Amino acid sequence: MPEKKLLIIHQGALGDFVMTFPILIGLRRIYSKIDALCQKKLGELARELNLIDGSHALESAAVAPLYSDNPENLAVATASLLRSYERIVLFSFSRKLQGSIERLSGANVLRIPPRPPVEENVHVGRFLREHFIAAGLIERGNPSPSDFVKILQRQRACGPNAAPVLIHPGSGSRKKNWPLKNFILIEKMLRKDGLRAEFILGPADIHLKDGLGGPHAPSLNVHIVDDLLRALSLMKSACGFIGNDSGLSQLAAILGLPVAVVFGPSDPVRWKPLGPAVAVVRPATDCRPCHETGEPACASPDCFKGISPRMVYAAFSCLNKGFR
């Protein structure tokens, strides 16, 4: 029987990509080989987690013809690559890109929008899943939520002398960041209770580095990572995670860590991390989440004003008790 090969094309960042992980687990049961065309770092992460077999980097010159006005005249190698797959799934809003891939591959391409329209109050993960079910690629109820945690294979309770709690005070958008001083206060609360906390900063968070050093916070342990495999290693050695709505929060949750996540201008109905132990902290306000609507950012977001460090710490503590 010939090998069934599937290519996933995903142009999004970490948070969007993590939303596809449960789907990839389900597809693993159908396709003998799954590859991804995505950001290089995301492909490395998915391979490390055994969600895909191989990856092609979006940054590679070999796939640049896909975005040309005349791709069929430029891309013999790209066409050869695409034609080696039995099925191609494209996460994109672009019908033009879909047409380019279909002309190069000679195949029908299943195009799925990477997220629902802004006006739809539906979770991104559910939205994607329903598209795959409708296409007959995965079955309803397969995989189950418990399958997510099998990636990590073990969970840890946080306690004295245990693994650290990771605190991530950044995100891909500064307007989604809860004030840094609040995360520093949470670190003090953890330490007071005999727990160990370590900060993690990604490439988009370097502007926060100075706030985590100096005389006001001389004892903080800070990891600066520009490699998702390094971030994955830190998470596998941690017992919990506290952060904003970010790709790293999404990753920590689906790996099975207890995660307390602060939502401000983004919508937890759409973006709550997938995982067995996730607490969303966002106070009830009259303003609707504005991160995706194109509305101008508030000078002083009301959605953050009602969130105290004690609220976030209490939410995380409740999750952690469930792991003991």
Side-chain angles (χ1 to χ4, degrees):
M1 181 179 295
E3 186 178 44
K4 297 181 70 175
K5 297 173 64 178
L6 173 70
L7 178 66
I8 298 288
I9 303 178
H10 198 290
Q11 304 169 91
L14 176 60
D16 301 77
F17 193 56
V18 169
M19 287 292 180
T20 71
F21 283 10
I23 294 167
L24 292 175
I25 294 171
L27 291 172
R28 270 289 197 204
R29 298 170 181 174
I30 301 172
Y31 287 88
S32 56
K33 181 176 176 60
I34 301 175
D35 291 345
L37 173 57
C38 58
Q39 291 182 32
K40 182 175 182 290
K41 62 183 181 180
L42 300 182
E44 292 171 345
L45 174 68
R47 291 203 316 269
E48 180 68 20
L49 293 173
N50 197 34
L51 292 169
I52 60 174
D53 298 289
S55 61
H56 311 282
L58 273 177
E59 303 92 332
S60 168
V63 300
L66 288 179
Y67 303 94
S68 166
D69 290 335
N70 297 294
E72 55 276 352
N73 297 328
L74 300 172
V76 174
T78 306
S80 177
L81 168 68
L82 296 175
R83 289 172 182 166
S84 68
Y85 293 94
E86 180 183 72
R87 191 76 186 265
I88 297 174
V89 177
L90 168 67
F91 290 93
S92 177
F93 293 110
S94 174
R95 295 184 184 274
K96 180 180 178 181
L97 179 58
Q98 178 185 10
S100 295
I101 295 170
E102 287 179 337
R103 288 194 297 274
L104 285 168
S105 66
N108 290 325
V109 174
L110 174 62
R111 182 180 63 83
I112 296 176
R115 68 189 73 91
V118 173
E119 61 273 11
E120 289 189 18
N121 281 339
V122 59
H123 194 273
V124 175
R126 178 182 175 185
F127 172 82
L128 298 177
R129 183 179 180 79
E130 289 299 323
H131 274 276
F132 275 83
I133 292 172
L137 289 179
I138 60 174
E139 298 177 358
R140 195 173 298 279
N142 179 20
S144 69
S146 63
D147 289 325
F148 307 163
V149 184
K150 292 178 183 177
I151 300 170
L152 183 60
Q153 296 182 348
R154 61 175 176 163
Q155 303 160 331
R156 301 176 178 86
C158 297
N161 302 316
V165 178
L166 290 179
I167 300 177
H168 178 224
S171 72
S173 171
R174 295 192 185 190
K175 72 176 184 178
K176 293 196 298 181
N177 291 355
W178 195 41
L180 179 60
K181 63 182 181 180
N182 293 331
F183 287 107
I184 293 174
L185 288 173
I186 288 176
E187 188 275 342
K188 292 180 179 178
M189 293 176 184
L190 289 165
R191 195 153 24 98
K192 184 178 179 181
D193 283 348
L195 305 179
R196 185 158 55 98
E198 298 177 359
F199 284 82
I200 179 171
L201 299 179
D205 312 320
I206 298 302
H207 63 284
L208 299 173
K209 179 182 176 183
D210 290 344
L212 292 175
H216 299 294
S219 60
L220 298 181
N221 191 344
V222 181
H223 300 279
I224 298 175
V225 298
D226 57 6
D227 181 345
L228 283 178
L229 297 185
R230 172 60 177 152
L232 176 64
S233 176
L234 289 171
M235 289 179 186
K236 286 187 174 182
S237 299
C239 68
F241 190 97
I242 300 172
N244 298 303
D245 170 30
S246 72
L248 288 181
S249 293
Q250 298 281 359
L251 179 59
I254 208 164
L255 291 174
L257 290 175
V259 173
V261 56
V262 179
F263 273 80
S266 52
D267 191 349
V269 172
R270 291 164 59 83
W271 293 104
K272 178 182 177 180
L274 299 170
V278 178
V280 166
V281 184
R282 188 181 194 273
T285 64
D286 292 332
C287 60
R288 64 188 290 251
C290 63
H291 180 61
E292 297 179 272
T293 64
E295 299 172 27
C298 305
S300 180
D302 289 340
C303 50
F304 280 141
K305 286 180 179 177
I307 304 175
S308 70
R310 192 163 296 281
M311 288 171 58
V312 177
Y313 186 65
F316 176 77
S317 295
C318 287
L319 289 176
N320 186 45
K321 288 177 183 176
F323 279 73
R324 295 184 181 183

